[in-house]
Amino acid sequence: SYELTQPSSVSVSPGQTARITCSGDVLAKKYARWFQQKPGQAPVLVIYKDSERPSGIPERFSGSSSGTTVTLTISGAQVDDEADYYCYSAADNNRVFGGGTKLTVL
Amino acid sequence: QVQLVQSGSELKKPGASVKVSCKASGYTFTNYGMNWVRQAPGQGLEWMGWINTNTGNPTYAQDFTGRFVFSLDTSVSTAYLQISSLKAEDTAVYYCAGEDFDLWGRGTLVTVSS
């Protein structure tokens, strides 16, 4: 098995850029996905293949990758972006989520 | 529209079993695998495994072998998660999610309490 490591929390003011990192050896070889989860709701895919954005996801969400670290960037974060964010990756038949990062926008 | 509809909340006693359903609509069920994800209260997401909806072959994550069973009824485009010998620590929201995680059910809360 393998692990993905995220900071437990990130805090920004509205309009600032939020960056959430995710680290793990598997990320050097495999793509990552990012999910947003608001309280009481199911997760929503916001980034796939490290940097691709599904239709309907605002352009302020972007992803990047460098070595064993991927980063979710929210440019001009809004209060509505306050949520838990999870990275995810898969290798062979093993799939894992990061521990999650609580993003506070205030 | 494309959606996954899960069964309602369950309250079970320790030692009992529970079967959670996930009905797909709006797409060809057997074209995309189904993942199961657990989220304990206040905790993160845990991938439990997935089932190939074309072959019925399940794959379980290391922590979800033995008491957890994935199954299908392709005639009604539905995937199932059955948990036996329930323990208090099985209390969680259980999600089904499509193969690429771009489609999720709303989750089923399973509470195990005496």
Side-chain angles (χ1 to χ4, degrees):
Chain A
S1 64
Y2 52 90
E3 294 183 354
L4 298 176
T5 301
Q6 300 180 231
S8 58
S9 64
V10 169
S11 183
V12 297
S13 300
Q16 288 189 328
T17 296
R19 293 182 179 85
I20 300 173
T21 58
C22 173
S23 299
D25 290 343
V26 67
L27 299 176
K29 301 170 289 186
K30 298 293 184 180
Y31 287 124
R33 292 186 174 101
W34 286 97
F35 299 89
Q36 175 195 68
Q37 187 182 33
K38 296 181 178 179
Q41 298 183 19
V44 173
L45 179 68
V46 295
I47 294 289
Y48 66 99
K49 285 188 178 179
D50 290 347
S51 60
E52 298 292 320
R53 198 172 48 249
S55 61
I57 300 301
E59 291 184 6
R60 64 180 180 275
F61 288 87
S62 63
S64 61
S65 176
S66 178
T68 58
T69 299
V70 294
T71 302
L72 173 68
T73 300
I74 307 172
S75 303
Q78 301 181 3
V79 173
D80 187 56
D81 298 330
E82 188 163 288
D84 294 326
Y85 290 85
Y86 296 90
C87 61
Y88 160 95
S89 190
D92 302 320
N93 266 328
N94 287 313
R95 304 168 194 200
V96 69
F97 290 94
T101 299
K102 181 175 180 59
L103 174 66
T104 301
V105 182
L106 55 73
Chain B
Q1 72 274 31
V2 177
Q3 60 180 352
L4 298 174
V5 178
Q6 295 188 227
S7 49
S9 298
E10 302 269 9
L11 174 61
K12 296 291 184 181
K13 294 189 183 303
S17 296
V18 68
K19 194 169 187 177
V20 176
S21 67
C22 171
K23 183 174 175 59
S25 61
Y27 70 96
T28 302
F29 180 68
T30 52
N31 281 358
Y32 302 96
M34 191 70 73
N35 290 283
W36 289 95
V37 176
R38 183 173 80 176
Q39 188 169 38
Q43 301 301 308
L45 304 173
E46 290 181 273
W47 180 71
M48 300 175 66
W50 77 291
I51 185 165
N52 184 319
T53 53
N54 189 39
T55 66
N57 183 48
T59 298
Y60 300 96
Q62 192 170 357
D63 290 344
F64 295 95
T65 58
R67 298 188 297 116
F68 301 85
V69 177
F70 307 147
S71 61
L72 305 170
D73 185 343
T74 56
S75 69
V76 290
S77 300
T78 300
Y80 300 94
L81 163 66
Q82 182 161 359
I83 311 171
S84 58
S85 302
L86 283 163
K87 308 174 183 179
E89 50 264 42
D90 294 323
T91 295
V93 175
Y94 292 85
Y95 293 100
C96 59
E99 185 168 343
D100 294 328
F101 292 98
D102 52 350
L103 181 66
W104 291 68
R106 297 181 70 173
T108 296
L109 173 62
V110 175
T111 303
V112 183
S113 174
S114 55

